Amino acid sequence: MEDCLATLRFSDDGLTDGLEEAMRYSLLAGGKRVRPVLALATARALGREATEVLPIAAAIELIHTYSLIHDDLPAMDDDDLRRGRPTCHKKFGEDVAILAGDALYAEAFRLVLTRQQAEPAHLRDALAHLAGATGVNGMVGGQWLDVAARDVDLRELHALKTGRLIAASIESVLLLSGRDAEPWQPYCSELGVLFQIVDDILDVTGTDAALGKHPGSDERHGKRTYVSEFGLGGARTMARVSHGKARAALAAAAPDGAPELSQITDFIFTRSS
Amino acid sequence: MEDCLATLRFSDDGLTDGLEEAMRYSLLAGGKRVRPVLALATARALGREATEVLPIAAAIELIHTYSLIHDDLPAMDDDDLRRGRPTCHKKFGEDVAILAGDALYAEAFRLVLTRQQAEPAHLRDALAHLAGATGVNGMVGGQWLDVAARDVDLRELHALKTGRLIAASIESVLLLSGRDAEPWQPYCSELGVLFQIVDDILDVTGTDAALGKHPGSDERHGKRTYVSEFGLGGARTMARVSHGKARAALAAAAPDGAPELSQITDFIFTRSS
């Protein structure tokens, strides 16, 4: 995945290479690449080659990177560091960071629309799902719930903010392959829940380098997390229950087995970074 | 067009209705709707009903609105007023305004992907063009050239920042209809140039209500405009030349005539607001 992301160029004629530099600075800052890895593993679970879905897998990581850049902005979480390096706006200025995020989202769609091989009708369905998962009823809506600090259920907030893009990493590949995503929905949404619970635990117990942000960052921001709501022990119990549910839902969705998705599900539960 | 835009809702279950409120505040603030009107007129020039392309026409106005919200942000142009009303961030806060812009772009794609009737392959081509016109090599790239204040040709800057979305309002409907956009390219790009020259003239000569921003706003921001570079007389001459070129290019692209597009071309030249 790293090789694929590293080869991506966005500026056609070099005129906007400075904008591309800011986009690539954040895109290539490392990270676990959970979302594209899920997309590739889904292709394999369907008997396809992982390489066949590289464009949409990369596009999902572009979208994730855009969300991190905008979340870090002074008007949002106001974070100076991410993965031990200055955040995009600290490095390039706030104006360039806003535009780098905007551009990553546009280029994610362009990448899929120009490079992803698929039946056009399936491509449309996959992209419609991805647009929905990242708009008002998905990622951006969840971020709005977070900053607007309304009296909203924590699971509901994270289902939108984090869960829908995690789920879409799997669902968009199913749709792209002309498959019904419905039987996979319980697995996809549970995986999003599991990911967020573990993320909240790691915010308290993890290290800066591993987390990609300051430990206790969410706590410092006064954010409501699974740990702040249920305590560290409570959150760990919830993670264990969620992991079991996710494994069971995966077994129901893929009765013939999906070894790579099983492994990633376990990794999301047990990861210490 | 106003009726169509006014009926748009984005939040599926009301959970994120506050975000939708900020989006609709900016979307329904008026304006000339030049881009969607161009899209509808293009459909008619191809012998289609204008109503057949309403979703993509509306989506282009959503994208234009998103660009205005982000351009107005404190880190960008730092404008307090637009069309005589507080800008989105003045009304809802900077965090909500950033997210309202982000969400408008996502919902624009969702709108086309879920509501626009077309051959799936044509839909893909139209959207690929729209993504390209609004990404690194289009609108966002042009805005970056503007804020990064590099030594770039003014025409090149505006070709990206304004011109590509104006052009895409026509080109995306051609592609959606399975037509070759190539013969229309000279008209589309000249129309973008004409629009920007007149915009720069109106920034100096127009009124607040007509312009939708303070008169002299670009001047105050120290921006390079056609007027600042060539003087008011020079800019007016350039507008006249550009209008003639656009009319000739339209006649070449549509030898059987395209009365509505001709009218809009004239309106863009002669408008006083």
Side-chain angles (χ1 to χ4, degrees):
Chain A
M1 202 65 229
E2 287 308 313
D3 289 352
C4 167
L5 294 173
T7 61
L8 290 176
R9 291 292 184 283
F10 307 106
S11 178
D12 287 344
D13 56 9
L15 191 63
T16 48
D17 49 3
L19 176 59
E20 178 175 287
E21 185 191 348
M23 295 161 72
R24 285 170 52 85
Y25 172 82
S26 291
L27 182 64
L28 304 177
K32 299 173 295 293
R33 312 301 191 192
V34 167
R35 293 158 194 81
V37 166
L38 280 170
L40 302 182
T42 303
R44 300 260 290 161
L46 303 177
R48 303 185 64 183
E49 292 296 328
T51 49
E52 291 172 28
V53 300
L54 268 176
I56 200 165
I60 290 168
E61 189 67 11
L62 263 60
I63 293 174
H64 174 57
T65 303
Y66 130 69
S67 78
L68 296 181
I69 293 174
H70 281 195
D71 285 4
D72 285 340
L73 287 169
M76 305 272 194
D77 289 355
D78 194 15
D79 273 314
D80 294 349
L81 286 173
R82 178 168 290 277
R83 299 197 181 110
R85 298 200 308 168
T87 45
C88 194
H89 66 271
K90 275 288 167 192
K91 174 88 175 169
F92 296 97
E94 203 176 330
D95 49 1
V96 174
I98 293 169
L99 294 169
D102 290 349
L104 279 164
Y105 192 47
E107 296 302 320
F109 277 92
R110 185 163 76 114
L111 183 63
V112 177
L113 287 157
T114 58
R115 302 281 192 85
Q116 181 60 59
Q117 296 286 319
E119 279 292 319
H122 297 160
L123 189 73
R124 177 197 60 204
D125 295 345
L127 266 189
H129 192 79
L130 200 50
T134 52
V136 171
N137 303 288
M139 190 179 78
V140 175
Q143 179 65 8
W144 176 80
L145 286 173
D146 208 1
V147 300
R150 283 159 31 119
D151 184 27
V152 62
D153 182 75
L154 192 64
R155 274 179 83 106
E156 236 170 358
L157 186 161
H158 287 305
L160 266 60
K161 184 177 173 177
T162 319
R164 286 218 57 197
L165 189 59
I166 293 273
S169 306
I170 299 162
E171 291 159 343
S172 64
V173 172
L174 291 163
L175 293 167
L176 192 73
S177 311
R179 303 286 281 264
D180 182 8
E182 194 59 36
W184 289 74
Q185 201 272 327
Y187 168 62
C188 293
S189 60
E190 193 61 48
L191 197 63
V193 171
L194 175 64
F195 183 88
Q196 189 60 50
I197 300 172
V198 175
D199 225 47
D200 286 354
I201 293 170
L202 291 174
D203 182 66
V204 178
T205 63
T207 65
D208 181 14
L211 262 176
K213 55 184 178 178
H214 297 296
S217 161
D218 291 338
E219 207 178 353
R220 232 188 17 261
H221 287 307
K223 287 203 174 181
R224 294 169 55 209
T225 72
Y226 284 97
V227 175
S228 76
E229 300 260 310
F230 306 102
L232 192 55
R236 280 183 167 140
T237 302
M238 289 173 82
R240 202 158 45 244
V241 171
S242 174
H243 176 245
K245 279 194 203 172
R247 285 299 301 258
L250 176 60
D256 297 336
E260 290 179 34
L261 285 173
S262 295
Q263 275 174 29
I264 301 168
T265 307
D266 293 347
F267 167 75
I268 286 174
F269 175 49
T270 59
R271 74 200 157 106
S272 58
S273 68
Chain B
M1 200 65 230
E2 288 306 313
D3 288 353
C4 167
L5 294 172
T7 60
L8 290 176
R9 292 292 186 282
F10 307 107
S11 178
D12 287 344
D13 56 10
L15 191 63
T16 49
D17 50 4
L19 176 58
E20 179 176 285
E21 185 191 348
M23 296 161 72
R24 285 170 51 87
Y25 172 81
S26 291
L27 181 64
L28 303 178
K32 298 173 296 294
R33 313 300 191 193
V34 167
R35 293 157 194 80
V37 166
L38 280 171
L40 303 182
T42 303
R44 300 259 291 161
L46 302 176
R48 303 185 63 184
E49 292 295 326
T51 49
E52 290 172 32
V53 300
L54 269 176
I56 198 165
I60 290 168
E61 189 67 10
L62 262 60
I63 293 174
H64 174 57
T65 303
Y66 130 69
S67 79
L68 297 181
I69 294 174
H70 280 194
D71 285 5
D72 285 340
L73 287 169
M76 304 275 193
D77 289 354
D78 194 16
D79 274 314
D80 293 351
L81 286 174
R82 178 167 291 276
R83 300 195 180 110
R85 298 200 310 168
T87 45
C88 193
H89 65 272
K90 276 288 167 188
K91 174 88 176 170
F92 297 97
E94 203 177 330
D95 48 2
V96 174
I98 293 168
L99 295 169
D102 290 351
L104 278 165
Y105 193 53
E107 296 302 320
F109 276 89
R110 185 162 76 113
L111 182 63
V112 177
L113 287 156
T114 58
R115 301 280 190 87
Q116 181 60 59
Q117 295 287 319
E119 279 293 318
H122 297 160
L123 188 75
R124 177 198 61 205
D125 295 345
L127 266 189
H129 192 78
L130 199 51
T134 51
V136 172
N137 303 287
M139 189 181 78
V140 175
Q143 178 66 5
W144 176 80
L145 286 173
D146 209 2
V147 301
R150 284 161 30 121
D151 183 27
V152 65
D153 182 74
L154 192 64
R155 275 179 82 105
E156 237 170 358
L157 186 161
H158 288 304
L160 267 60
K161 184 176 173 178
T162 318
R164 286 216 58 197
L165 188 59
I166 292 274
S169 306
I170 299 162
E171 292 159 343
S172 64
V173 172
L174 291 162
L175 293 167
L176 193 73
S177 311
R179 302 287 280 266
D180 182 7
E182 194 60 35
W184 289 75
Q185 200 272 325
Y187 168 63
C188 295
S189 59
E190 194 61 48
L191 198 63
V193 172
L194 175 63
F195 183 87
Q196 188 61 51
I197 300 172
V198 175
D199 225 47
D200 286 355
I201 293 171
L202 290 173
D203 182 64
V204 178
T205 63
T207 65
D208 181 17
L211 260 175
K213 55 184 177 179
H214 296 295
S217 161
D218 291 340
E219 207 179 355
R220 232 184 22 255
H221 287 309
K223 286 202 173 179
R224 292 169 58 210
T225 71
Y226 283 97
V227 175
S228 76
E229 299 259 311
F230 305 102
L232 193 55
R236 282 183 167 143
T237 302
M238 290 173 81
R240 202 157 44 241
V241 171
S242 175
H243 175 245
K245 279 194 204 174
R247 286 297 301 256
L250 176 59
D256 296 336
E260 289 179 33
L261 285 173
S262 295
Q263 275 174 30
I264 302 169
T265 306
D266 293 346
F267 168 74
I268 287 175
F269 175 49
T270 58
R271 72 199 157 107
S272 58
S273 64

